[in-house]
Amino acid sequence: MRKLFIAFGCLVLSPSAAWAQEREYCPDRPGIGTPACTMAPGKASLEVGLGDWSVDADSAERQDVFLTGDTLLRYGIADHAEVQLGWTALGFARTRDRLTGTVDHRSGTGDVTVALRRNLANPDGSGLSLAVMPYVTLPVGREPFGQGDLGAGLKVPLSYELSQSWSLATTTSFDAAVNEDGSGRHFAFDEVVGAQLELSKAVSVTAEYEFTLDRDPASHHTEQVGGLSLAWQPADDLQLDLGANLGLDHDAQDAEVYFGVSRRF
């Protein structure tokens, strides 16, 4: 009888365990949007931005920012849910005043972000996948890498596979964003639309468009950004990536180039 129960238990558990092992690796990197997939229960993903350079210039000044160690840790707590912890380890900023020629150098760390992603349909990201993701940003970093106050928001990522090669994705965000002066919050809305093409089983390229409506008390404005990224998975649990974003109007950041690595455990 004991052997019978053991055999029955193996039959019941084996499909679930096999399914968890066969779930394809779905990192958050690269790109602007957020995927709807979640990590399998007990699985972790460590995703690190090894280098990120951005530039933003106007008639008054030019600011170059370089980030390294932009880290996201994801852990599956259920078949349809994961928790996330994000932090930027180190940043360098160089700001040059165009009128006086003076240059200001700063360095520091970024804020900590804590999030929960709850998938509502197809947690492996196949077919039509939908999730909700509330998050909180803790102000532990210093300006210009940290926001200066507590922030929060809700993201709603959605993806749909058109074929074996093509898929579409959107990320809708509602944010209590920190004011530009680092004190208090205001409403901000963000929408990202993207299309992904799998060039092979290991290589994919993604094109995205982002629209942001920002109601900061100091400056109500909208921003538009275009992005292109490339991901390569040489192994089932490893991904390398690179990408670039370009501001499409004068309110958006001018340009950004980045690369990183993701590893599943």
Side-chain angles (χ1 to χ4, degrees):
M1 182 64 69
R2 181 180 300 174
K3 292 181 179 179
L4 182 61
F5 276 113
I6 293 175
F8 178 75
C10 291
L11 288 174
V12 172
L13 295 175
S14 59
S16 176
W19 187 88
Q21 293 174 356
E22 292 172 1
R23 184 183 295 190
E24 293 185 2
Y25 188 23
C26 181
D28 270 33
R29 300 183 57 88
I32 307 172
T34 300
C37 58
T38 55
M39 297 301 298
K43 291 289 186 177
S45 176
L46 182 62
E47 308 177 19
V48 182
L50 301 177
D52 186 314
W53 169 75
S54 61
V55 58
D56 193 17
D58 56 26
S59 59
E61 65 179 27
R62 167 179 169 141
Q63 183 177 68
D64 293 81
V65 176
F66 180 79
L67 306 177
T68 185
D70 188 9
T71 305
L72 176 66
L73 178 63
R74 303 163 57 200
Y75 183 76
I77 58 174
D79 182 56
H80 51 260
E82 69 178 38
V83 291
Q84 300 183 359
L85 181 65
W87 179 58
T88 300
L90 185 60
F92 302 92
R94 178 184 184 274
T95 304
R96 180 180 182 275
D97 190 302
R98 292 183 180 274
L99 300 179
T100 64
T102 58
V103 178
D104 177 63
H105 293 274
R106 295 190 183 186
S107 62
T109 62
D111 295 336
V112 170
T113 300
V114 181
L116 169 68
R117 183 180 300 164
R118 172 64 162 90
N119 184 275
L120 305 177
N122 293 325
D124 62 345
S126 63
L128 176 64
S129 186
L130 173 67
V132 292
M133 182 177 144
Y135 69 90
V136 176
T137 302
L138 308 177
V140 301
R142 56 173 297 184
E143 199 275 336
F145 318 104
Q147 300 182 60
D149 204 345
L150 186 72
L154 175 69
K155 295 185 177 182
V156 183
L158 180 148
S159 63
Y160 180 66
E161 293 182 328
L162 297 174
S163 66
Q164 291 185 346
S165 300
W166 285 96
S167 62
L168 301 177
T170 65
T171 303
T172 305
S173 302
F174 306 92
D175 302 313
V178 178
N179 293 340
E180 185 178 345
D181 61 6
S183 178
R185 282 155 296 279
H186 63 275
F187 174 74
F189 170 81
D190 186 87
E191 184 72 29
V192 180
V193 179
Q196 183 182 83
L197 172 63
E198 292 190 4
L199 302 177
S200 68
K201 186 177 180 181
V203 180
S204 63
V205 60
T206 302
E208 295 173 292
Y209 167 78
E210 178 183 30
F211 172 82
T212 303
L213 174 66
D214 195 302
R215 292 301 184 185
D216 192 295
S219 173
H220 289 198
H221 64 278
T222 61
E223 299 178 12
Q224 299 179 73
V225 174
L228 187 66
S229 59
L230 180 72
W232 173 44
Q233 292 191 4
D236 291 341
D237 297 323
L238 177 66
Q239 177 182 277
L240 306 176
D241 67 73
L242 59 89
N245 300 323
L246 184 66
L248 303 179
D249 58 34
H250 68 277
D251 286 320
Q253 181 177 263
D254 290 341
E256 178 183 16
V257 179
Y258 60 89
F259 64 97
V261 60
S262 303
R263 179 74 165 85
R264 179 170 60 179
F265 300 92

